[in-house]
Each structure stands twice: as structure tokens, then as C-alpha cells.
């Protein structure tokens, strides 16, 4: 990698209970992280490529940045890797702590939510370390506009295409190209909408182009940032009860976001939670609506379908149940409901079954033994009123022994 400054690998003491990057980076919050070899995750953030990997006690990280061009640059034959200065090291660590939102004590929050919600207590042990990221608000806004009637894989493809065509190139790792996220100004040109349609964005192309124009040209500079939650994190036990509908700042941010193209209540809540830092925001999509019906007795009476009133009622129910960081707890249950992580919800048990068949012909006993290896899935997490019972998944293999011939005297 020519003309790049590559830091040494460094580490932060972070347990898997406080952060699991394999879950957090895959559960539909951010759409630009790429998993490379040896369980290494990388993404271009704020002018550098940030790479992460994790063990049971530490988060390991390094950064790769374009080299600074000096007037008297060394010849091209000079070394291509220059270690970062201490100032850059500190900057990268601060960026990482901010982006991963490491201030809240996640273990304590899990304990709090488990103490008031038996359903959370049942499902959470398989999904520890799900932490809400503090993403750039503009990136979160565009990413979740792309999420309309979409899935995580396809959203990731769209966002990657957006960066590839409009974002600044930061560098490469092996054959992987890393572009930073494009600013609003980069998406305001006259041909952007039609180009995005060619790239497969569909009707979302118009939403992105119009929203970029509004943010870049109509809103005052720093408008999105002004909607952020600037309150310091407070984990004191004697906090005031959360008002119905959430804090005033959250409600204002939500209402302002709804004025943008392609932003409905769910997208606005996603941006509030994962881009603006409002922990009480509870995005209610089809997954969360199914959870609300299955586990929290919604779907009956006046809340039979997901109307605007029901959307608000679901959010308020979870805010009253889980408190100021309700959106964090909601994201744990959201992750638990994704097919991506379905293997965590089952325990596979292999059983060898010996089947004996005995047959006698003309005084000769033929003994045939067949050993069948069967695999069963025991569902450890089940619906509230569902009986727990083993379900046969697949017969892995079988082998037969040749019959043993034994003459009877």
C-alpha cells in the first residue's frame, strides 16, 4: 500500500459483554464494514481506514491514512509505511471510543433491562455486547433512506456503490477498495438521481438526491449536528422518569427529520438512535412489530395493525419498560430476531442410533447392524406459549456393516 501511514496494532480493554463487534457491526446499524481474513473488520471513517479485531478481553485496532505530502517528498523508492505520530494515535483512539459509544456500562444496562423484562432476560444471554454506534448523522440518514423495503445485504451493496462512485478514495487493503462516505454536496449534481437509478437504488435515488440538496443548500450549516443529543451519559440510579414520547430534544429531532424526502417515522427513529444519540428512539419495522405482537401482547384491539398510533404506542411501551436507553434494548431483541444470527438460538446434538436387523435363512443367521448418525436441533429460545421440543434437522450420514454369517449347529 503505497503512500499510506499504517499504525501498529493497538488494543483497548473491552470485554465481549461490553462490545461484540461480530454482532454490533452486522445487526443493521452501519452498512460499510467489511469482514476481511482472520475475523478482521475494516471501514473508511473520517479520512482513514480503521481495522478492528477482538479477543475475549481486548479490542485490537489500527488505522491506515493517506500520507501527508511534504514539499520535499522522499523518492518513490523510499519506504511506503510511515508510523503514525502520537497525536494521530490519540486522535484515532478518541474516534474509536466515540464511534463505538464506549461510555455506557452495557453490562449494567443488560442487568437493568433483564430485571424488568423476562423476555429480554430470556433472549439476551445469546446476544451480549450489542452496542449502539455513534455514527455520522448524515451517513445514518442516507443509509436508512436506503433501508426502505430492503434487507441488510442489499442496503450494504447500495451504500458501498454510493461511496465507490461519490466518496473520496482513502486506500486499499489487498484487493479491497475503501472510500469514505460522500458529503451532501457530492450528491447534489444534476445527474445524481439518474445515476443512482442506474446503480440500482430505484425510487430511493430521488429521495437521496432531494435530501442531499435540502441539507446542502437549504438548511443552515451544522443543521443535522444541532439535532444531536449533547447530554452527557448519566447512569445514576435516581434519574427522573422518562416523559411519554421521550425527551423534548428527541421529539424535535424526530419531527424535523420527517420533513425530509424519504423519511418516515421508522427512518427518523433509526437516525435519531444511531446517528443523533437519542437512546429512547425505538424504530418499529416489521421485525420489531412481530416481536411486539409475539412477546408483548400487541396486535389486538385498537393496536391490531401497525398504524401511526400503534407505532407510537409500541415505542412508548418500550420506553416505559426499558427507560432512557430503550433503543439499545430494542436493538438486542432486533438482533435476536435476525436470520443472520439464527444459529445462536439452537444447540445441535448428534446421536448415534444402532439399528439391528436379524434374519435366518437355511440355518444361517444373518445379523445386519446399521449405525445412523442423526443431528437434532434443540431450540433454546422459543415463543412465549410454544412447547420446547427437539426438531429433527438432517440425517448427516449412515454406514452399514456387512452381515455377519454364523452357522447354527
Amino acid at each position: 500500500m503505497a503512500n499510506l501511514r499504517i499504525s501498529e496494532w493497538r488494543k483497548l480493554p473491552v470485554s465481549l459483554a461490553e462490545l461484540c463487534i461480530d454482532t454490533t457491526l452486522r445487526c443493521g446499524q452501519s452498512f460499510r464494514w467489511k469482514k476481511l481474513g482472520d475475523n478482521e473488520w475494516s471501514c473508511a471513517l473520517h479520512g482513514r481506514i480503521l481495522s478492528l479485531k477482538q479477543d475475549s478481553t481486548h479490542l485490537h485496532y489500527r488505522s491506515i491514512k493517506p500520507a501527508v505530502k511534504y514539499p520535499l517528498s522522499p523518492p518513490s523508492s523510499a519506504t511506503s509505511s510511515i508510523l503514525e505520530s502520537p497525536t494521530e494515535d490519540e486522535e484515532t483512539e478518541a474516534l474509536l471510543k466515540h464511534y463505538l459509544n464506549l461510555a455506557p456500562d452495557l453490562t449494567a444496562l443488560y442487568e437493568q433491562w433483564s430485571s424488568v423484562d423476562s423476555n429480554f432476560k430470556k433472549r439476551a444471554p445469546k446476544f451480549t455486547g450489542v452496542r449502539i454506534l455513534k455514527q455520522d448523522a448524515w451517513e445514518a440518514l442516507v443509509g436508512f433512506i436506503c433501508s426502505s423495503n430492503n434487507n441488510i445485504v442489499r442496503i450494504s451493496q447500495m451504500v458501498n456503490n454510493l461511496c465507490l462512485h461519490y466518496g473520496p478514495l482513502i486506500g486499499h487493503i489487498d484487493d479491497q477498495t475503501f472510500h469514505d462516505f460522500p458529503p451532501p454536496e457530492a450528491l447534489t449534481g444534476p445527474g445524481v438521481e439518474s445515476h443512482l437509478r442506474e446503480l440500482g437504488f430505484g425510487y430511493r435515488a430521488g429521495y437521496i438526491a432531494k435530501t442531499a440538496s435540502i441539507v446542502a443548500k437549504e438548511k443552515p450549516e451544522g443543521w443535522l449536528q444541532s439535532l444531536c443529543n449533547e447530554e452527557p451519559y448519566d447512569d445514576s440510579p435516581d434519574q427522573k422518569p422518562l416523559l411519554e414520547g421521550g425527551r423534548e430534544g428527541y421529539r424535535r429531532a424526530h419531527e424535523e427529520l420527517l420533513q425530509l424526502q424519504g423519511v418516515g417515522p421508522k427512518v427518523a427513529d433509526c437516525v435519531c438512535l444511531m446517528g443523533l444519540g437519542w437512546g429512547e428512539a425505538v424504530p418499529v419495522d416489521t421485525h420489531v412489530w412481530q416481536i411486539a405482537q409475539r412477546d408483548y401482547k400487541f396486535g389486538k384491539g385498537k393496536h391490531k395493525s401497525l398504524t401511526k398510533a400503534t407505532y407510537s404506542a409500541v415505542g412508548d411501551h418500550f420506553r416505559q419498560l426499558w427507560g432512557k436507553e430503550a433503543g439499545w434494548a430494542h436493538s438486542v431483541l432486533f438482533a435476536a430476531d435476525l436470520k443472520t444470527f439464527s444459529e445462536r438460538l439452537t444447540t445441535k446434538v448428534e446421536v448415534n442410533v444402532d439399528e439391528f436387523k436379524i434374519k435366518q435363512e437355511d440355518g444361517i443367521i444373518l445379523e445386519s447392524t446399521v449405525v445412523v448418525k442423526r443431528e437434532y436441533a434443540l431450540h433454546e429460545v422459543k415463543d412465549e406459549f410454544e412447547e420446547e421440543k427437539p426438531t429433527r434437522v438432517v440425517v448427516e450420514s449412515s454406514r452399514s456393516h456387512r452381515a455377519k454369517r454364523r452357522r447354527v449347529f
Side-chain angles (χ1 to χ4, degrees):
M1 288 179 284
N3 302 318
L4 294 175
R5 294 199 306 281
I6 308 171
S7 78
E8 299 287 351
W9 281 99
R10 296 179 176 82
K11 62 183 181 180
L12 290 173
V14 181
S15 71
L16 285 167
E18 285 297 308
L19 170 68
C20 176
I21 59 173
D22 195 50
T23 308
T24 300
L25 302 181
R26 296 167 61 202
C27 68
Q29 294 191 57
S30 177
F31 305 102
R32 292 198 296 125
W33 287 89
K34 300 176 182 179
K35 192 174 186 179
L36 306 178
D38 195 28
N39 291 321
E40 181 181 322
W41 292 87
S42 296
C43 181
L45 289 172
H46 297 276
R48 76 203 72 200
I49 302 171
L50 194 59
S51 295
L52 308 175
K53 54 187 179 180
Q54 191 171 23
D55 58 34
S56 60
T57 58
H58 288 83
L59 178 70
H60 302 259
Y61 67 96
R62 75 172 181 182
S63 68
I64 302 172
K65 293 184 70 175
V68 177
K69 295 182 179 179
Y70 297 97
L72 297 175
S73 59
S76 58
S77 59
T79 179
S80 62
S81 293
I82 306 170
L83 295 182
E84 288 184 309
S85 69
T87 301
E88 288 178 333
D89 293 344
E90 293 169 359
E91 185 184 277
T92 298
E93 182 176 323
L95 169 63
L96 184 65
K97 288 180 176 179
H98 174 82
Y99 182 85
L100 295 176
N101 210 355
L102 294 179
D105 183 341
L106 195 58
T107 302
L109 287 172
Y110 270 59
E111 291 174 355
Q112 173 193 325
W113 299 325
S114 295
S115 70
V116 297
D117 182 0
S118 60
N119 182 58
F120 184 92
K121 183 177 182 179
K122 177 174 65 174
R123 300 181 186 274
K126 295 284 187 181
F127 294 89
T128 57
V130 179
R131 187 171 284 275
I132 295 297
L133 303 173
K134 273 190 176 179
Q135 298 180 77
D136 174 76
W138 167 247
E139 177 176 347
L141 174 58
V142 175
F144 288 110
I145 287 176
C146 291
S147 73
S148 174
N149 297 314
N150 221 338
N151 59 59
I152 293 174
V153 171
R154 193 154 174 264
I155 300 165
S156 299
Q157 292 170 346
M158 286 182 175
V159 172
N160 182 66
N161 265 335
L162 192 73
C163 295
L164 183 65
H165 289 272
Y166 294 98
L169 174 65
I170 304 301
H172 299 76
I173 297 180
D174 298 329
D175 61 345
Q176 291 286 332
T177 303
F178 288 86
H179 292 252
D180 217 333
F181 199 82
E185 295 77 14
L187 301 174
T188 58
V192 169
E193 180 177 346
S194 60
H195 187 212
L196 292 180
R197 288 185 184 275
E198 291 172 5
L199 294 174
F201 282 72
Y203 63 87
R204 305 167 195 85
Y207 293 156
I208 293 171
K210 291 181 178 67
T211 293
S213 181
I214 290 171
V215 173
K217 299 177 180 180
E218 299 179 21
K219 296 293 185 181
E221 185 176 354
W223 169 72
L224 266 178
Q225 190 63 30
S226 73
L227 302 179
C228 285
N229 176 17
E230 300 294 346
E231 298 177 15
Y233 177 70
D234 181 10
D235 59 356
S236 59
D238 53 346
Q239 297 183 47
K240 295 180 180 179
L242 192 65
L243 296 173
E244 184 173 337
R247 287 167 285 185
E248 181 181 351
Y250 157 64
R251 296 197 303 272
R252 181 175 74 87
H254 192 268
E255 286 302 315
E256 292 210 28
L257 290 171
L258 289 175
Q259 308 307 311
L260 300 174
Q261 291 286 326
V263 178
K266 189 266 291 188
V267 170
D269 271 326
C270 287
V271 178
C272 283
L273 177 63
M274 301 167 217
L276 299 176
W278 294 105
E280 67 262 50
V282 179
V284 183
D285 67 352
T286 54
H287 287 284
V288 178
W289 175 233
Q290 289 166 3
I291 292 168
Q293 294 176 89
R294 183 187 68 210
D295 301 325
Y296 296 94
K297 299 181 180 179
F298 278 87
K300 300 176 182 178
K302 62 180 180 179
H303 298 310
K304 189 173 182 179
S305 58
L306 188 55
T307 61
K308 183 178 179 181
T310 300
Y311 184 100
S312 298
V314 171
D316 284 334
H317 175 80
F318 288 142
R319 280 185 279 272
Q320 293 304 311
L321 179 63
W322 295 324
K324 196 165 63 174
E325 309 301 337
W328 290 54
H330 135 281
S331 294
V332 177
L333 297 188
F334 178 87
D337 207 53
L338 290 175
K339 290 182 179 179
T340 303
F341 304 116
S342 59
E343 75 280 358
R344 301 188 191 182
L345 305 181
T346 60
T347 297
K348 294 180 179 179
V349 179
E350 292 182 354
V351 180
N352 286 341
V353 181
D354 293 342
E355 298 180 357
F356 297 94
K357 295 180 181 179
I358 301 176
K359 184 178 180 181
Q360 181 172 335
E361 291 181 359
D362 301 326
I364 297 176
I365 294 178
L366 304 177
E367 293 184 5
S368 178
T369 304
V370 179
V371 180
V372 180
K373 181 180 173 184
R374 292 191 177 97
E375 186 178 86
Y376 293 86
L378 301 180
H379 291 267
E380 295 182 345
V381 179
K382 56 185 177 61
D383 292 344
E384 186 175 356
F385 301 106
E386 180 183 55
E387 292 183 5
E388 188 170 1
K389 55 187 178 182
T391 304
R392 178 177 170 181
V393 177
V394 65
V395 176
E396 287 281 3
S397 63
S398 65
R399 66 183 185 274
S400 299
H401 295 287
R402 294 182 65 86
K404 302 175 184 176
R405 294 179 177 269
R406 188 170 72 238
R407 184 171 295 279
V408 180
F409 297 99

